[in-house]
Amino acid sequence: MILENYYDIEHNNIRVSRQQASDFAKKVANDFNPLHDTDSKRFCVPGDLLFGLVLNQYGLSQNMRFVFSGMVGDGIELLFPESATETFVISGSNGKEYLRVERSGGNSRDKLLVSRLVEAYVAFSGHAFPYILVPLMEAHDVMINPGRPLIIYENMEIHLDRLDIADPALKLSGTCFNIEGKRGLVQLKFTLHDNDEIIGKGTKNMVLGGLRPFDAARMQTVVDDYLQRQEKFGDT
């Protein structure tokens, strides 16, 4: 994966076009959330791409936490600090904060390691819908609004035992689903592996909006539409 294909940079200011964001979502993350379509009225840059941009700029630290405080829309220029401390913020040229990063421990700027780790993470993350989230919603007898599906990336963190990693991979290790009215708070827990050795762990937290009673037929329609979008893209 060549991350540079998915953004433009000038003086540490980064801009992601609709096409670049959409290409990353579909080609790299296998994520067909309509929010990342070039013609979406609610278009936003994938959180997984922002995660990759931070690692690409500042390297991979043993302990990292990412808190997403806003969705990056079309035409937003992101201001990346020239030198990053243990805690720093990615803001937009509009003065709005979009991402807060906390990090500690050792740090590696090995471009190959960063690329492989980003690829491993987004492969895991992009698989969440429908394969993890739909069974989870069914088990709790709720679902997102089929007419206006809303799944928002809230925060994620990674903790690594070491940074000399040859072949990183992520595996789901547990889930947690808390319901607050029409909002669902989902946590996906995962372990990080290097070949057969567990070398770390992490979590991804999301907010599901517009919850309502689970309707198997309507949910299946949403899933079928999502999978058809994947298939159609693969045929192009």
Side-chain angles (χ1 to χ4, degrees):
M1 176 191 63
I2 302 176
L3 199 60
E4 284 74 12
N5 290 339
Y6 305 104
Y7 68 94
D8 296 303
I9 184 170
E10 184 177 356
H11 305 303
N12 269 36
N13 295 346
I14 284 178
R15 185 187 297 271
V16 179
S17 70
R18 283 177 175 256
Q19 191 62 58
Q20 288 169 323
S22 183
D23 285 346
F24 179 89
K26 296 173 174 63
K27 295 179 180 180
V28 179
N30 200 30
D31 178 359
F32 286 78
N33 187 329
L35 288 176
H36 309 317
D37 288 348
T38 56
D39 58 354
S40 172
K41 293 181 179 179
R42 297 188 294 161
F43 166 83
C44 71
V45 174
D48 288 345
L49 177 52
L50 299 180
F51 164 75
L53 293 177
V54 169
L55 264 61
N56 198 53
Q57 289 291 106
Y58 307 112
L60 171 66
S61 294
Q62 282 184 272
N63 304 295
M64 302 194 77
R65 185 169 188 262
F66 299 77
V67 180
F68 298 87
S69 49
M71 295 192 294
V72 179
D74 185 32
I76 300 297
E77 191 172 76
L78 297 172
L79 313 179
F80 277 59
E82 289 191 15
S83 58
T85 55
E86 287 193 345
T87 299
F88 60 95
V89 169
I90 306 298
S91 298
S93 52
N94 55 4
K96 184 177 180 180
E97 178 181 315
Y98 288 101
L99 177 63
R100 179 175 295 272
V101 181
E102 302 167 8
R103 61 184 191 155
S104 62
N107 178 273
S108 173
R109 290 181 173 266
D110 183 324
K111 290 293 187 181
L112 181 58
L113 169 60
V114 166
S115 177
R116 286 177 174 172
L117 194 285
V118 171
E119 284 184 328
Y121 177 75
V122 299
F124 167 81
S125 181
H127 220 63
F129 187 89
Y131 303 106
I132 301 174
L133 292 180
V134 172
L136 198 57
M137 288 188 284
E138 184 175 11
H140 288 79
D141 197 31
V142 294
M143 69 178 186
I144 52 179
N145 182 353
R148 193 177 173 87
L150 184 61
I151 301 174
I152 300 174
Y153 204 166
E154 190 172 59
N155 62 69
M156 62 85 68
E157 56 185 76
I158 288 178
H159 305 281
L160 296 167
D161 298 330
R162 56 180 174 81
L163 291 172
D164 55 329
I165 306 169
D167 187 21
L170 280 74
K171 295 182 181 180
L172 184 69
S173 60
T175 60
C176 183
F177 194 173
N178 293 313
I179 299 173
E180 298 179 354
K182 292 187 176 182
R183 295 172 76 245
L185 308 178
V186 175
Q187 182 178 81
L188 306 183
K189 303 175 183 178
F190 56 86
T191 49
L192 290 106
H193 299 247
D194 186 11
N195 293 314
D196 295 328
E197 180 187 357
I198 296 177
I199 49 103
K201 62 182 180 180
T203 58
K204 173 177 179 174
N205 295 283
M206 295 169 285
V207 176
L208 277 58
L211 294 185
R212 63 213 44 225
F214 191 84
D215 182 318
R218 296 189 71 189
M219 193 70 248
Q220 189 60 51
T221 298
V222 175
V223 172
D224 289 345
D225 179 66
Y226 186 90
L227 296 178
Q228 286 170 9
R229 284 161 53 83
Q230 281 186 330
E231 184 177 354
K232 182 178 180 181
F233 183 82
D235 290 339
T236 59

